[in-house]
Amino acid sequence: MSDAPAPEPRDPKATLVFDDPLNQQSSDDTDRGWGERPAGDSAADLRRFLDEKPPHHL
């Protein structure tokens, strides 16, 4: 007889997955975050414009 302990069940998250990574959509494949700004008032838009204006446009 063997004195080896019984194997414990494995964590399902720790298994290797050999799927094709090109079949999965990445965050770069979506349009989310590209030029989107939260809705705001016109005063905030003007303040943002003046803050981001290059110095040669003064």
Side-chain angles (χ1 to χ4, degrees), residues 10-27:
R10 292 185 179 183
D11 183 13
K13 292 184 257 181
T15 60
L16 294 176
V17 178
F18 293 101
D19 290 340
D20 185 8
L22 299 179
N23 285 338
Q24 301 171 1
Q25 187 177 31
S26 71
S27 61

Side-chain angles (χ1 to χ4, degrees), residues 2-57:
S2 173
D3 290 332
E8 295 183 21
R10 292 185 179 183
D11 183 13
K13 292 184 257 181
T15 60
L16 294 176
V17 178
F18 293 101
D19 290 340
D20 185 8
L22 299 179
N23 285 338
Q24 301 171 1
Q25 187 177 31
S26 71
S27 61
D28 291 341
D29 293 335
T30 63
D31 289 335
R32 186 179 33 205
W34 287 93
E36 297 173 357
R37 290 186 294 141
D41 60 332
S42 60
D45 289 340
L46 178 61
R47 184 172 45 249
R48 180 175 172 262
F49 171 75
L50 293 175
D51 287 344
E52 294 181 2
K53 187 168 47 168
H56 62 271
H57 285 178

